[in-house]
Amino acid sequence: MTDSPTPSPETPRPSAPRPPEAVVFDHDGILVDTIRPDYLACSALFEEHGATLPARMWAQEVCGRPDGYPRLFDVLLGSVGAAAGPGPSDVADRGATGPRSHAALQERLSQLWERFMTPEHVRLLPGVRELLTRLRAAGLPVAVASAADAEWVRRWLGHFGIAEYVDTVVGGDEVPHRKPDPAVYLAAAARLGVPPARCVAFEDSLTGVAAARAAGITVTAVPTALTRSLDYSAADHVLPGLWAVDLTRAPWTTR
């Protein structure tokens, strides 16, 4: 009599993704659109000097990164210098007090921000209020972790009436290093009392994606119209907007 074949063990099914226990949002470009106003201000600065803002460089090295503006000023000064030709006056203007110094360019950019960073230009992004409402109903804690100062973040959360949905705000001025350093995300998770690995983050910039990943947080990228052409492969997921988040399907990738 022939022995019956021994049944092969079943291949174990992969476990379902574990739902996040907390949510950490970036602010600029995720909750409110200050990205376009910043782009308009930087473009105006370049235009005043007869130059054109390099859009891709701005998106990669400046968007979401306050320490990227010195690099932007270097590009502008290089463009102006190349157009004018080399000369001792151009080198002198790059000093600490010249009209083309970083200090002077920063002062002028600040004036342009005052023109464009206004309620007329800054908008609450689609799906934000609805998602925050659903997260509150689900009992999930919410933080905002921004490279910008905390006061700036609270100003716009209050302006749009969504501060009540946010349990804590961590600004770049409250940690030793700003994004892409993970400090702001680690601080946000600590304040919520949830391990980073149990959190999910939403980011629009490459800098922010790098910061969240470095903190050990699962990150979903939500590119803006001005950054959509960049490579977001470092993110765990990519969505077209917060309106596409589906809380019934962990890890909330899409509807």
Side-chain angles (χ1 to χ4, degrees), residues 182-202:
V184 70
Y185 273 109
L186 294 173
R191 289 189 189 180
L192 294 177
V194 178
R198 306 280 179 82
C199 298
V200 64
F202 291 94

Side-chain angles (χ1 to χ4, degrees), residues 56-242:
R56 189 170 183 84
M57 177 268 167
W58 174 88
Q60 288 181 313
E61 301 184 38
V62 180
C63 182
R65 187 167 186 165
D67 64 356
Y69 292 102
R71 166 66 178 143
L72 190 71
F73 299 153
D74 284 338
V75 171
L76 174 55
L77 291 171
S79 299
V80 173
S89 60
D90 178 64
V91 176
D93 281 347
R94 298 189 187 191
T97 59
R100 294 179 185 170
S101 68
H102 278 211
L105 293 174
Q106 181 63 69
E107 181 179 0
R108 180 55 184 153
L109 181 58
S110 296
Q111 294 169 351
L112 292 167
W113 280 338
E114 291 180 5
R115 180 198 301 176
F116 291 105
M117 293 290 188
T118 64
E120 291 75 27
H121 291 91
V122 177
R123 295 284 185 266
L124 188 69
L125 285 161
V128 169
R129 195 180 305 277
E130 294 78 7
L131 178 56
L132 289 175
T133 301
R134 286 186 287 137
L135 292 172
R136 175 54 56 90
L140 289 166
V142 171
V144 174
S146 177
D149 291 354
E151 182 179 355
W152 169 261
V153 174
R154 293 191 180 97
R155 167 189 169 183
W156 292 108
L157 295 182
H159 173 78
F160 289 111
I162 57 174
E164 63 180 291
Y165 298 104
V166 177
D167 296 291
T168 189
V169 171
V170 185
D173 58 327
E174 298 179 314
V175 292
H177 304 287
R178 300 182 192 246
K179 300 175 185 179
D181 189 277
V184 70
Y185 273 109
L186 294 173
R191 289 189 189 180
L192 294 177
V194 178
R198 306 280 179 82
C199 298
V200 64
F202 291 94
E203 272 285 355
D204 69 296
S205 70
L206 299 183
T207 298
V209 168
R213 288 295 303 271
I217 294 177
T218 298
V219 57
T220 294
V222 186
T224 69
L226 291 166
T227 61
R228 201 162 287 143
S229 64
L230 301 182
D231 179 8
Y232 281 90
S233 59
D236 296 286
H237 310 284
V238 180
L239 288 179
L242 291 184

